[in-house]
């Protein structure tokens, strides 16, 4: 899940970024309206958190232009402007929620999760064979046993389970789980997949994380793969590009 935070006040932007990343989301921040529009048009975000008083244009203008895009992401306005008039205008122009500053992070996070759920056509309980992931409670179990995952591990697994049976490239995984400040190698995905395998697959006879040669990885249950023995050996990590 990737969130765009549009906020010119660095202190608030940093606070939001830290909190949301801690909750397992990838976060990009835009300090003004123009960069927000550039980001929003170049990347598929799952949610936009939008300040209204921006240095170069009114946040409502940003909202209008994001909304011009077909099927844009949900937008949560986070503004010091709390007048009823502002709220009504924001919601009328297509914002999905409105919060006023100052705000409690826990409330913001609850609303972020609610909006992300609403935008998800897939159920929040994902299941592949005996592996279950509850994206709302951020809980993973295999064969009934709770498995602790770090936020990025959880993000990767959730992305792969939502795309069950579909091979995902390292680049797709990085773009979905890391923010755009990350400019390292996509090899990092291999490292995280190793961690995930040690937590999710190693102790179980049926392996769910598959290496797809020349592409990347996918999660698939045994019911869908008649020849699970064909899984590529773990040592065959390809170099990206
Ligand atoms: Ca502002």
């Amino acid at each position: 899940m990737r969130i765009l935070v549009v906020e010119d006040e660095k202190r608030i932007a940093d606070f939001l970024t830290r909190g949301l990343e801690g909750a397992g989301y990838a976060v990009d921040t835009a300090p003004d309206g123009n960069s927000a529009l550039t980001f929003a048009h170049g990347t598929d975000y799952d949610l936009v958190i939008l300040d209204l008083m921006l240095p170069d244009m009114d946040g409502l203008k940003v909202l209008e232009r994001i909304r011009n895009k077909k099927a844009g992401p949900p937008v949560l306005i986070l503004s010091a402007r709390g007048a009823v008039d502002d709220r009504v205008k924001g919601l009328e122009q297509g914002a999905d929620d409105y919060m006023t500053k100052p705000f409690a992070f826990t409330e913001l996070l609850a609303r972020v999760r609610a909006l992300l759920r609403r935008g998800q056509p897939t159920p929040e309980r994902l299941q592949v064979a005996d592996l279950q992931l509850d994206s709302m409670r951020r809980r993973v179990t295999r064969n009934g046993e709770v498995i602790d995952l770090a936020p990025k591990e959880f993000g990767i697994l959730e992305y792969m389970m939502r795309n069950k049976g579909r091979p995902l490239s390292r680049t797709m995984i990085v773009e979905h789980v890391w923010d755009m400040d990350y400019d390292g190698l996509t090899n990092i995905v291999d490292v995280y997949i190793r961690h995930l395998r040690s937590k999710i697959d190693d102790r179980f006879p049926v392996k769910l994380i598959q290496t797809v040669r020349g592409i990347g990885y996918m999660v698939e249950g045994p019911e869908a793969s008649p020849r699970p023995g064909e899984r590529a050996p773990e040592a065959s990590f390809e170099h990206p590009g």
Side-chain angles (χ1 to χ4, degrees):
M1 294 282 181
R2 189 156 166 178
I3 297 176
L4 175 63
V5 171
V6 187
E7 174 63 70
D8 58 316
E9 235 175 288
K10 198 173 179 310
R11 192 178 51 88
I12 298 179
D14 289 348
F15 173 71
L16 285 170
T17 303
R18 262 201 315 278
L20 292 168
E21 284 183 348
Y25 300 109
V27 180
D28 295 324
T29 56
D32 55 51
N34 277 309
S35 44
L37 290 171
T38 306
F39 283 11
H41 290 129
T43 307
D44 273 332
Y45 289 99
D46 299 293
L47 177 76
V48 177
I49 295 177
L50 178 64
D51 179 28
L52 290 186
M53 287 183 272
L54 297 168
D56 56 344
M57 66 174 87
D58 192 304
L60 290 176
K61 267 268 167 302
V62 177
L63 173 66
E64 193 186 305
R65 298 206 193 149
I66 289 177
R67 276 285 167 261
N68 275 345
K69 215 182 139 192
K70 227 166 81 186
V75 173
L76 184 156
I77 291 177
L78 178 61
S79 174
R81 279 183 357 212
V84 175
D85 198 36
D86 285 313
R87 286 176 178 257
V88 169
K89 238 193 262 171
L91 296 171
E92 262 177 11
Q93 288 192 20
D96 300 271
D97 202 352
Y98 198 113
M99 269 185 84
T100 47
K101 295 174 189 163
F103 62 98
F105 184 75
T106 45
E107 191 194 343
L108 177 98
L109 188 59
R111 295 203 192 186
V112 162
R113 287 190 171 143
L115 287 174
L116 289 171
R117 273 204 301 284
R118 214 163 73 189
Q120 277 304 330
T122 37
E124 57 205 18
R125 260 169 219 269
L126 304 168
Q127 175 143 17
V128 176
D130 56 354
L131 177 67
Q132 287 188 321
L133 181 147
D134 184 332
S135 55
M136 197 185 143
R137 293 163 65 204
R138 304 196 73 75
R139 196 175 117 109
V140 174
T141 60
R142 179 145 192 200
N143 195 21
E145 183 190 321
V146 177
I147 295 167
D148 277 327
L149 296 182
K152 288 269 186 289
E153 294 167 359
F154 187 94
I156 292 173
L157 185 66
E158 183 180 30
Y159 180 50
M160 296 209 311
M161 287 177 76
R162 279 196 199 286
N163 290 283
K164 170 166 79 169
R166 176 180 168 213
L168 302 170
S169 70
R170 292 170 180 79
T171 306
M172 287 164 79
I173 294 172
V174 163
E175 281 180 354
H176 197 84
V177 179
W178 275 265
D179 58 49
M180 63 175 65
D181 287 337
Y182 178 78
D183 56 0
L185 295 170
T186 54
N187 281 13
I188 186 134
V189 172
D190 300 330
V191 175
Y192 276 86
I193 291 285
R194 264 202 301 277
H195 294 166
L196 272 173
R197 278 187 165 139
S198 76
K199 293 180 178 182
I200 278 162
D201 271 346
D202 283 1
R203 285 168 296 125
F204 297 90
V206 175
K207 312 299 180 196
L208 300 177
I209 298 174
Q210 323 282 339
T211 299
V212 185
R213 246 185 265 233
I215 300 177
Y217 299 99
M218 98 182 145
V219 159
E220 194 174 48
E223 69 275 7
S225 77
R227 287 166 298 174
E230 284 201 347
R231 181 159 86 81
E234 278 172 47
S236 76
F237 294 131
E238 298 89 0
H239 245 268

